[in-house]
Amino acid sequence: MSDAFKTAYLSKGDVARLLADPSPNSRTDLAAKIAHQFDSPELSEAERKLAEDIIRLMVNDTVLRVRQTLAENLKSSPSLPREIALTLARDVEAVAIPVLSVSTVLTPADLVEILHSGAEAKSTAIARRPTVPAEVADALIESGSERAVAALVANEGAELGEHSLSRVIDRFGASEAVQDPLVHRSRLPITIAERLVAVVSERLRQHLVAHHELPSKVASELILQSRERATVALFTGENDEAALDRLVVQLAGTGRLTPSLLVRSLCTGDIAFFETAMSRMANVPMTNARLLIHDAGRLGLKSLYDKAKLPPALLPACRIAIDVLKETPYDGEPGDRERHRRRVIERILTQYEDLAPEDLEFLLAKLGDMMQPENASA
């Protein structure tokens, strides 16, 4: 070893001082020196073995400050023996948290074991690690506190799949502390986004009833409209057939796959969602549903529509929206979806002159609701 390194490593003088002055301050200083130089390439094999032996003794030191010093200086060490890292991780929070936050020598199984201890501060430290493997994330979601799970969903390095995120909503869907970071994740599966829309909408409904003296029925209708607009925004442009199918199944299972939602999807040009929904609602294979929807004659769409048991009043609107999409595909310019939506609605309103008054009232209410957000912002 170089002379410079010898002054930083445990020297004979250090040993003599430790023997003559075994005070906590002396042990803390020596713990810092050993831990700081533990990963140095200048250590010989014998020196590294000696350092490990000393550290193994010091992790059981009765003075908290000594153990804290070791943890802070060894937390990022890639060569720290796993059993030493585990001893530190099982220690009190002041010692464990630095190691739990970043140590790469702890295995997923080690982290899950620590999570089962139930200590919130330790769970939160694990949730904030640069990367959190899926099995660790799942264990934390099942047993962690609201604070720990909020930290987990805020961590872009956490492996959170669709099922894991669904469990987060199951446990903490009503928690604003969890909702906020969850909504702001860089990417969410479409089914998770739709569930969040429903949760937030329910909270809004309660606010309307409590603070604006709205009858519950009126508030429920407002929330249904806002929820449908938000849902359409979620699947706009979605090309993943499997994701769309999962969304349709979820919407159907919660009673939110409504006829007006189908009309909205067509008015914004989202034919893929309409096809997927019609396939599910009519219990017809996707390939068959597409052929029926795009049948050049008038029979295909009507037969599928009837099998799905949808209201007859909206069939012409669906047919017109599909025709407009075929005639005027998107041009890729800014606002092309909005221009398409307006063309669809204008065409629908001009071709409903002979509709029964009660049906026309129903249709105009739905179409007027579709126009509302843009008119309000105009």
Side-chain angles (χ1 to χ4, degrees):
M1 290 190 298
S2 68
D3 291 338
F5 176 70
K6 286 179 181 177
T7 61
Y9 187 58
L10 191 63
S11 64
K12 290 181 180 179
D14 292 327
V15 174
R17 183 161 62 90
L18 183 60
L19 292 173
D21 176 25
S23 67
N25 285 341
S26 176
R27 300 204 304 278
T28 300
D29 290 343
L30 293 174
K33 181 176 287 188
I34 295 172
H36 181 67
Q37 293 298 329
F38 185 70
D39 288 316
S40 172
E42 296 187 42
L43 281 180
S44 68
E45 195 62 36
E47 290 166 339
R48 188 175 305 282
K49 178 66 170 61
L50 175 61
E52 285 185 16
D53 290 341
I54 295 172
I55 289 172
R56 281 191 173 89
L57 290 174
M58 285 189 158
V59 294
N60 295 307
D61 198 292
T62 57
V63 176
L64 174 62
R65 189 151 44 94
V66 173
R67 306 197 309 277
Q68 277 183 288
T69 300
L70 284 176
E72 285 291 348
N73 286 277
L74 292 171
K75 62 184 180 183
S76 300
S77 171
S79 52
L80 181 67
R82 172 173 162 264
E83 67 272 17
I84 295 179
L86 256 179
T87 299
L88 294 170
R90 290 166 176 159
D91 207 327
V92 297
E93 291 173 2
V95 177
I97 286 174
V99 176
L100 290 173
S101 297
V102 295
S103 177
T104 57
V105 300
L106 294 172
T107 68
D110 295 335
L111 297 173
V112 170
E113 176 207 309
I114 300 298
L115 288 173
H116 287 159
S117 72
E120 182 180 68
K122 289 186 178 184
S123 296
T124 304
I126 293 172
R128 291 173 175 159
R129 287 170 63 87
T131 59
V132 183
E135 64 187 278
V136 177
D138 287 344
L140 196 153
I141 290 167
E142 291 299 329
S143 63
S145 66
E146 179 182 10
R147 176 178 169 229
V149 174
L152 181 71
V153 298
N155 182 1
E156 292 289 343
E159 295 181 21
L160 296 173
E162 190 170 347
H163 175 74
S164 302
L165 292 170
S166 185
R167 284 294 296 144
V168 170
I169 299 176
D170 289 343
R171 290 198 66 206
F172 298 107
S175 164
E176 292 189 8
V178 175
Q179 282 180 8
D180 187 73
L182 186 53
V183 166
H184 289 92
R185 283 187 69 82
S186 60
R187 179 166 176 78
L188 286 174
I190 191 170
T191 52
I192 299 304
E194 194 276 332
R195 283 194 67 185
L196 283 173
V197 166
V199 171
V200 171
S201 295
E202 176 62 17
R203 182 162 53 87
L204 178 58
R205 183 190 68 80
Q206 294 173 358
H207 178 83
L208 286 169
V209 173
H211 297 281
H212 296 283
E213 299 181 356
L214 289 175
S216 294
K217 182 177 180 181
V218 174
S220 296
E221 179 61 24
L222 287 175
I223 205 61
L224 175 62
Q225 294 172 4
S226 63
R227 178 185 292 172
E228 286 189 354
R229 286 196 293 269
T231 300
V232 170
L234 289 175
F235 59 67
T236 295
E238 178 65 60
N239 294 316
D240 184 339
E241 290 186 7
L244 279 177
D245 189 61
R246 289 194 300 273
L247 175 62
V248 166
V249 171
Q250 180 169 294
L251 288 168
T254 54
R256 297 198 291 272
L257 191 61
T258 60
S260 55
L261 181 60
L262 296 186
V263 174
R264 286 179 192 279
S265 69
L266 284 177
C267 285
T268 55
D270 283 293
I271 190 69
F273 176 82
F274 182 79
E275 292 169 344
T276 305
M278 292 297 287
S279 171
R280 279 280 175 181
M281 295 175 80
N283 195 25
V284 170
M286 176 65 79
T287 302
N288 297 25
R290 283 179 176 148
L291 289 172
L292 292 168
I293 290 169
H294 298 285
D295 177 22
R298 314 303 282 179
L299 184 60
L301 178 61
K302 184 180 186 309
S303 62
L304 184 67
Y305 191 91
D306 291 344
K307 194 170 191 302
K309 298 181 180 178
L310 293 169
L314 289 179
L315 174 58
C318 293
R319 192 185 301 282
I320 291 168
I322 294 170
D323 290 343
V324 172
L325 187 61
K326 291 177 181 177
E327 296 166 8
T328 55
Y330 294 142
D331 53 24
E333 296 297 321
D336 59 356
R337 283 188 175 274
E338 172 59 17
R339 287 193 296 276
H340 170 82
R341 189 190 62 80
R342 290 187 179 277
R343 282 195 299 269
V344 169
I345 292 174
E346 289 169 3
R347 181 85 68 85
I348 289 172
L349 292 177
T350 59
Q351 296 192 25
Y352 264 79
E353 295 178 357
D354 58 349
L355 198 64
E358 63 273 15
D359 290 338
L360 181 59
E361 183 179 348
F362 170 75
L363 180 64
L364 287 176
K366 293 302 179 185
L367 296 180
D369 171 51
M370 288 179 219
M371 296 287 285
Q372 181 182 343
E374 291 73 21
N375 287 342
S377 62

Short mmCIF file of all heavy atoms in Angstrom, two decimals, residues 197-198 200-206 208 218-229:
data_model
loop_
_atom_site.label_atom_id
_atom_site.label_comp_id
_atom_site.label_asym_id
_atom_site.label_seq_id
_atom_site.Cartn_x
_atom_site.Cartn_y
_atom_site.Cartn_z
N VAL A 197 -60.07 7.53 -13.29
CA VAL A 197 -61.12 8.46 -13.70
C VAL A 197 -62.38 8.21 -12.88
O VAL A 197 -63.04 9.13 -12.39
CB VAL A 197 -61.43 8.32 -15.21
CG1 VAL A 197 -62.74 9.02 -15.56
CG2 VAL A 197 -60.30 8.91 -16.03
N ALA A 198 -62.72 6.96 -12.71
CA ALA A 198 -63.93 6.61 -11.96
C ALA A 198 -63.80 7.02 -10.49
O ALA A 198 -64.75 7.51 -9.89
CB ALA A 198 -64.18 5.10 -12.07
N VAL A 200 -61.84 9.43 -9.18
CA VAL A 200 -61.86 10.88 -9.07
C VAL A 200 -63.27 11.40 -9.32
O VAL A 200 -63.75 12.31 -8.66
CB VAL A 200 -60.86 11.51 -10.06
CG1 VAL A 200 -61.04 13.02 -10.12
CG2 VAL A 200 -59.45 11.16 -9.65
N SER A 201 -63.97 10.79 -10.27
CA SER A 201 -65.34 11.22 -10.58
C SER A 201 -66.26 11.02 -9.40
O SER A 201 -67.12 11.86 -9.13
CB SER A 201 -65.87 10.44 -11.80
OG SER A 201 -65.14 10.76 -12.94
N GLU A 202 -66.11 9.95 -8.69
CA GLU A 202 -66.95 9.71 -7.52
C GLU A 202 -66.71 10.77 -6.47
O GLU A 202 -67.63 11.28 -5.83
CB GLU A 202 -66.67 8.31 -6.95
CG GLU A 202 -67.41 7.98 -5.67
CD GLU A 202 -68.91 7.98 -5.85
OE1 GLU A 202 -69.38 7.91 -7.00
OE2 GLU A 202 -69.62 8.06 -4.83
N ARG A 203 -65.46 11.14 -6.26
CA ARG A 203 -65.14 12.19 -5.30
C ARG A 203 -65.75 13.52 -5.74
O ARG A 203 -66.26 14.29 -4.91
CB ARG A 203 -63.60 12.31 -5.19
CG ARG A 203 -63.13 13.34 -4.18
CD ARG A 203 -61.67 13.08 -3.80
NE ARG A 203 -60.82 12.99 -4.95
CZ ARG A 203 -60.26 14.05 -5.52
NH1 ARG A 203 -60.52 15.26 -5.08
NH2 ARG A 203 -59.45 13.89 -6.56
N LEU A 204 -65.73 13.79 -7.04
CA LEU A 204 -66.33 15.01 -7.56
C LEU A 204 -67.84 15.00 -7.35
O LEU A 204 -68.43 16.03 -7.01
CB LEU A 204 -66.01 15.16 -9.05
CG LEU A 204 -66.60 16.38 -9.77
CD1 LEU A 204 -66.17 17.66 -9.10
CD2 LEU A 204 -66.19 16.37 -11.23
N ARG A 205 -68.47 13.85 -7.55
CA ARG A 205 -69.92 13.77 -7.34
C ARG A 205 -70.28 14.14 -5.90
O ARG A 205 -71.20 14.91 -5.64
CB ARG A 205 -70.43 12.36 -7.63
CG ARG A 205 -71.96 12.23 -7.50
CD ARG A 205 -72.41 10.79 -7.56
NE ARG A 205 -71.97 10.06 -6.38
CZ ARG A 205 -72.60 10.12 -5.20
NH1 ARG A 205 -73.65 10.88 -5.04
NH2 ARG A 205 -72.13 9.42 -4.19
N GLN A 206 -69.53 13.62 -4.95
CA GLN A 206 -69.79 13.93 -3.55
C GLN A 206 -69.60 15.41 -3.26
O GLN A 206 -70.34 16.02 -2.49
CB GLN A 206 -68.88 13.08 -2.65
CG GLN A 206 -69.18 11.59 -2.73
CD GLN A 206 -68.17 10.75 -1.97
OE1 GLN A 206 -67.22 11.27 -1.41
NE2 GLN A 206 -68.38 9.43 -1.96
N LEU A 208 -70.01 17.88 -5.42
CA LEU A 208 -71.13 18.63 -6.01
C LEU A 208 -72.36 18.57 -5.11
O LEU A 208 -73.03 19.58 -4.88
CB LEU A 208 -71.47 18.05 -7.39
CG LEU A 208 -70.49 18.37 -8.51
CD1 LEU A 208 -70.82 17.52 -9.73
CD2 LEU A 208 -70.53 19.84 -8.88
N VAL A 218 -79.03 14.75 -10.43
CA VAL A 218 -78.38 15.70 -11.34
C VAL A 218 -76.87 15.55 -11.26
O VAL A 218 -76.16 15.53 -12.27
CB VAL A 218 -78.79 17.15 -11.00
CG1 VAL A 218 -78.00 18.15 -11.83
CG2 VAL A 218 -80.29 17.33 -11.21
N ALA A 219 -76.37 15.46 -10.04
CA ALA A 219 -74.92 15.32 -9.86
C ALA A 219 -74.42 14.04 -10.52
O ALA A 219 -73.36 14.02 -11.14
CB ALA A 219 -74.58 15.32 -8.38
N SER A 220 -75.18 12.96 -10.38
CA SER A 220 -74.78 11.69 -10.98
C SER A 220 -74.72 11.79 -12.50
O SER A 220 -73.83 11.23 -13.13
CB SER A 220 -75.75 10.58 -10.56
OG SER A 220 -75.71 10.38 -9.18
N GLU A 221 -75.68 12.50 -13.10
CA GLU A 221 -75.67 12.67 -14.56
C GLU A 221 -74.47 13.50 -15.00
O GLU A 221 -73.80 13.18 -15.99
CB GLU A 221 -76.97 13.35 -15.01
CG GLU A 221 -77.06 13.59 -16.52
CD GLU A 221 -77.00 12.29 -17.33
OE1 GLU A 221 -77.34 11.22 -16.77
OE2 GLU A 221 -76.59 12.35 -18.50
N LEU A 222 -74.15 14.55 -14.25
CA LEU A 222 -72.97 15.37 -14.58
C LEU A 222 -71.70 14.54 -14.49
O LEU A 222 -70.82 14.64 -15.34
CB LEU A 222 -72.88 16.56 -13.62
CG LEU A 222 -73.89 17.68 -13.82
CD1 LEU A 222 -73.75 18.72 -12.71
CD2 LEU A 222 -73.69 18.35 -15.19
N ILE A 223 -71.61 13.72 -13.45
CA ILE A 223 -70.40 12.94 -13.28
C ILE A 223 -70.28 11.88 -14.35
O ILE A 223 -69.19 11.55 -14.82
CB ILE A 223 -70.35 12.33 -11.86
CG1 ILE A 223 -68.90 12.06 -11.47
CG2 ILE A 223 -71.13 11.07 -11.75
CD1 ILE A 223 -68.08 13.29 -11.42
N LEU A 224 -71.42 11.32 -14.80
CA LEU A 224 -71.39 10.32 -15.88
C LEU A 224 -70.86 10.96 -17.15
O LEU A 224 -70.04 10.39 -17.86
CB LEU A 224 -72.80 9.76 -16.10
CG LEU A 224 -72.94 8.80 -17.28
CD1 LEU A 224 -72.07 7.57 -17.08
CD2 LEU A 224 -74.39 8.40 -17.48
N GLN A 225 -71.32 12.19 -17.44
CA GLN A 225 -70.88 12.88 -18.66
C GLN A 225 -69.39 13.19 -18.59
O GLN A 225 -68.65 12.95 -19.56
CB GLN A 225 -71.68 14.17 -18.84
CG GLN A 225 -73.16 13.93 -19.12
CD GLN A 225 -73.96 15.21 -19.11
OE1 GLN A 225 -73.42 16.30 -18.96
NE2 GLN A 225 -75.27 15.08 -19.26
N SER A 226 -68.92 13.71 -17.46
CA SER A 226 -67.50 14.05 -17.35
C SER A 226 -66.65 12.80 -17.39
O SER A 226 -65.56 12.78 -17.96
CB SER A 226 -67.24 14.83 -16.06
OG SER A 226 -67.52 14.05 -14.93
N ARG A 227 -67.16 11.71 -16.79
CA ARG A 227 -66.42 10.45 -16.80
C ARG A 227 -66.30 9.91 -18.22
O ARG A 227 -65.24 9.43 -18.62
CB ARG A 227 -67.14 9.43 -15.91
CG ARG A 227 -66.48 8.07 -15.87
CD ARG A 227 -67.31 7.10 -15.07
NE ARG A 227 -67.31 7.45 -13.67
CZ ARG A 227 -68.09 6.86 -12.76
NH1 ARG A 227 -68.92 5.90 -13.13
NH2 ARG A 227 -68.04 7.21 -11.49
N GLU A 228 -67.39 9.99 -18.99
CA GLU A 228 -67.34 9.48 -20.36
C GLU A 228 -66.37 10.30 -21.21
O GLU A 228 -65.63 9.76 -22.02
CB GLU A 228 -68.74 9.49 -20.98
CG GLU A 228 -69.63 8.37 -20.45
CD GLU A 228 -70.93 8.25 -21.21
OE1 GLU A 228 -71.20 9.10 -22.09
OE2 GLU A 228 -71.69 7.30 -20.95
N ARG A 229 -66.38 11.62 -21.04
CA ARG A 229 -65.44 12.45 -21.80
C ARG A 229 -64.00 12.08 -21.45
O ARG A 229 -63.13 11.98 -22.32
CB ARG A 229 -65.70 13.93 -21.51
CG ARG A 229 -66.94 14.49 -22.18
CD ARG A 229 -66.93 16.00 -22.18
NE ARG A 229 -67.04 16.54 -20.83
CZ ARG A 229 -68.19 16.85 -20.23
NH1 ARG A 229 -69.34 16.63 -20.86
NH2 ARG A 229 -68.20 17.35 -19.01
#
